[in-house]
């Protein structure tokens, strides 16, 4: 007969206590290592200051996180890993020099949430009323960087952002992809008490079928942002807003209905804009814009060097120049970095075939998941 080696003190509660003690010990080691990392980051900041180098190195940060993702064997998810190390990196950045980031406000817009996911909490976030204001704040140096939406997987490009690149000398420093999930927020938990709904035009477009089915009689009022819509709903009884769940907490609303978007896996691509030239990482994207002559075959000829160089073109978009009727400029995203000989040589060839061409920047290609295109 086997002897039971357990004593009367060996209970499930004792086992939990032992595991928690082990966790406490690990947490203490993690804390010590983070503080050690910050000490090293501070010394790097001092050396950068002596050399006149910039504190934020987007290429280095992107490479660091991609390396950690490749080493991760779980159960930590990629998104959790990104959040954790984004905050650690942000704290390291802050100890060197605090940065200001402009975004499309007010607080709790999808742009704001995307910016926090990318830069972390340890950044001075400055809300702006319009996308143009974001460009202006970065151009005059009031903010180091700006975050702007550029396209949505359902509704397409944000044309106003594209148009501003034609006027601006700012560069694209990074890209990020953020999943968009819309909730109906209100003071009331009853749909039959809602007569007015506030939101951004794109949010209305992305929830069109749900609104027609559930609230066909409601008056839809467009706002500059989903967060602005939540603020208005908090001030007007009998109204609601289509916004993020984060906005519900900030504006003292409740989620009356969640995930009301018509298409799941709705994702918006955001760009980080600034004045920096971003170093090559080995997994990069280059964006250019150009204008061709208004003659047959002009676009084909301008893009021929891309095909001949076997460079993958991942985006082609046209917009009216607004300076002349039926004249267009084109946006192109190419895989590769402008420091690559093939890419730089191709762009030089294209420039000779265009009336106007400029490189908007080379930057790390966003990884898959919530920080990159979802791969099927």
């Amino acid at each position: 007969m086997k002897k039971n080696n357990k004593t009367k003190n060996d209970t499930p509660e004792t086992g939990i206590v032992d595991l928690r003690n082990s966790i406490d010990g690990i947490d203490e080691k993690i804390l010590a290592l983070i503080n050690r990392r910050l000490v090293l980051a501070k010394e790097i900041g001092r050396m950068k200051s002596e050399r006149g180098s910039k504190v934020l190195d987007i290429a280095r940060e992107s490479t660091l996180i991609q390396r950690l993702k490749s080493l991760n064997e779980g159960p930590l998810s990629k998104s959790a890993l990104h959040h954790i190390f984004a905050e650690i990196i942000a704290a390291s950045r802050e100890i060197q020099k605090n940065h200001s980031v402009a975004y499309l406000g007010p607080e709790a817009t999808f742009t704001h949430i995307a910016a926090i996911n990318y830069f972390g909490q340890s950044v001075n976030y400055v809300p702006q009323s319009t996308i143009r204001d974001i460009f202006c704040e970065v151009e005059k140096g009031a903010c180091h960087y700006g975050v702007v939406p550029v396209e949505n997987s359902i509704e397409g490009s944000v044309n106003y952002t594209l148009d501003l690149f034609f006027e601006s000398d700012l560069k694209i420093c990074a890209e990020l992809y953020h999943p968009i999930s819309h909730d109906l927020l209100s003071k009331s938990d009853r749909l039959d008490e809602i007569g007015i709904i506030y939101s951004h035009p794109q949010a209305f477009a992305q929830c069109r079928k749900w609104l027609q089915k559930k609230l066909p009689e409601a008056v839809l009022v467009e706002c500059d942002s989903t967060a602005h819509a939540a603020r208005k709903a908090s001030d007007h009884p009998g109204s609601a807003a289509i916004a993020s769940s984060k906005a519900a907490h900030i504006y003292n609303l409740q989620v009356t209905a969640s995930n009301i978007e018509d298409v799941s896996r709705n994702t918006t691509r955001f760009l980080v804009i600034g004045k920096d030239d971003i170093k090559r990482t080995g997994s990069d994207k280059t964006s250019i814009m150009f204008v061709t002559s208004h003659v047959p075959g002009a676009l084909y000829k301008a893009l021929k060097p891309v095909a001949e160089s076997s460079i993958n073109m991942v985006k082609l978009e046209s917009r009216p120049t607004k300076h002349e009727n039926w004249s267009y400029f084109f946006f192109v995203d190419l895989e590769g970095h402008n420091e690559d000989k093939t890419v730089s040589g191709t762009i030089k060839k294209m420039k000779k075939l265009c009336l106007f061409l400029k490189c908007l920047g080379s930057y790390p290609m966003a990884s898959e998941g919530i920080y990159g295109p979802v791969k099927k």
Side-chain angles (χ1 to χ4, degrees):
M1 184 174 180
K2 283 187 177 181
K3 289 184 179 180
N4 188 349
N5 293 324
K6 287 187 178 181
T7 68
K8 61 181 180 180
N9 293 323
D10 290 334
T11 64
E13 288 75 14
T14 303
I16 291 174
V17 170
D18 290 341
L19 291 171
R20 285 175 174 168
N21 287 337
S22 296
I23 288 174
D24 290 345
I26 292 171
D27 287 344
E28 291 169 9
K29 291 177 183 178
I30 291 173
L31 178 60
L33 289 171
I34 290 174
N35 280 315
R36 175 61 181 156
R37 190 190 197 282
L38 294 180
V39 170
L40 295 174
K42 189 173 183 179
E43 178 62 14
I44 291 173
R46 183 190 65 77
M47 295 172 70
K48 284 182 176 179
S49 180
E50 289 177 355
R51 298 176 183 177
S53 303
K54 294 182 181 294
V55 168
L56 179 55
D57 186 342
I58 286 176
R60 156 70 179 166
E61 293 184 3
S62 175
T63 302
L64 186 156
I65 288 182
Q66 292 311 313
R67 175 178 170 272
L68 292 172
K69 285 182 178 179
S70 68
L71 294 172
N72 180 34
E73 296 181 353
L76 183 68
S77 68
K78 287 184 179 181
S79 60
L81 182 151
H82 193 116
H83 280 298
I84 291 167
F85 279 92
E87 293 299 336
I88 293 173
I89 291 169
S92 300
R93 225 188 286 124
E94 184 186 28
I95 208 167
Q96 297 176 8
K97 179 182 179 181
N98 193 23
H99 283 78
S100 296
V101 175
Y103 69 92
L104 187 62
E107 190 178 6
T109 59
F110 288 109
T111 308
H112 185 212
I113 296 168
I116 291 173
N117 286 341
Y118 186 81
F119 286 102
Q121 298 281 352
S122 301
V123 169
N124 178 33
Y125 290 103
V126 184
Q128 302 298 321
S129 299
T130 66
I131 295 174
R132 178 179 288 278
D133 290 338
I134 297 172
F135 274 79
C136 289
E137 289 297 291
V138 179
E139 283 173 342
K140 67 185 183 183
C143 289
H144 298 91
Y145 299 96
V147 177
V148 294
V150 68
E151 62 179 316
N152 178 266
S153 60
I154 306 299
E155 294 301 314
S157 295
V158 180
N159 293 328
Y160 192 50
T161 298
L162 296 179
D163 291 346
L164 287 168
F165 277 114
F166 188 72
E167 307 171 15
S168 176
D169 291 328
L170 292 179
K171 299 172 182 177
I172 302 172
C173 300
E175 66 172 358
L176 55 149
Y177 291 79
H178 184 73
I180 304 298
S181 179
H182 294 298
D183 295 330
L184 187 73
L185 314 181
S186 179
K187 291 283 188 181
S188 171
D189 61 355
R190 295 178 49 138
L191 290 179
D192 58 6
E193 293 180 354
I194 296 172
I196 299 175
I197 302 176
Y198 302 102
S199 199
H200 187 273
Q202 278 212 348
F204 281 136
Q206 293 164 17
C207 302
R208 188 180 296 112
K209 292 180 182 177
W210 189 93
L211 290 170
Q212 289 174 350
K213 182 178 179 180
K214 300 291 186 179
L215 291 166
E217 303 300 323
V219 176
L220 308 184
V221 179
E222 294 184 355
C223 297
D224 293 334
S225 69
T226 53
H228 182 213
R231 180 186 291 172
K232 288 182 73 76
S234 67
D235 294 332
H236 295 85
S239 69
I242 298 175
S244 68
S245 56
K246 184 178 178 66
H249 299 294
I250 292 174
Y251 297 105
N252 196 28
L253 296 167
Q254 58 182 322
V255 177
T256 307
S258 59
N259 301 322
I260 66 171
E261 61 273 8
D262 297 330
V263 180
S264 61
R265 301 185 77 159
N266 178 14
T267 302
T268 294
R269 179 187 180 212
F270 294 89
L271 299 177
V272 176
I273 56 174
K275 299 178 180 179
D276 299 352
D277 289 313
I278 307 303
K279 297 176 184 176
R280 185 177 181 274
T281 69
S283 178
D284 304 288
K285 187 183 288 185
T286 297
S287 295
I288 61 174
M289 63 181 303
F290 61 90
V291 177
T292 65
S293 301
H294 188 49
V295 296
L299 179 60
Y300 168 79
K301 291 177 183 177
L303 293 176
K304 190 176 180 181
V306 177
E308 292 175 340
S309 301
S310 298
I311 295 174
N312 188 25
M313 183 174 65
V314 293
K315 178 183 174 67
L316 173 63
E317 184 86 16
S318 66
R319 289 288 299 147
T321 62
K322 299 183 180 179
H323 300 296
E324 182 182 349
N325 286 346
W326 317 119
S327 176
Y328 297 86
F329 58 80
F330 298 90
F331 282 90
V332 169
D333 288 345
L334 305 172
E335 284 191 0
H337 195 284
N338 198 32
E339 292 176 0
D340 301 336
K341 288 184 179 180
T342 303
V343 175
S344 61
T346 297
I347 293 174
K348 285 179 183 177
K349 291 177 182 177
M350 292 179 67
K351 197 165 188 176
K352 294 177 182 179
L353 302 169
C354 299
L355 297 176
F356 165 85
L357 183 148
K358 74 172 177 177
C359 182
L360 301 178
S362 294
Y363 47 92
M365 189 180 299
S367 60
E368 55 181 295
I370 66 171
Y371 301 99
V374 176
K375 296 179 180 179
K376 295 182 181 179

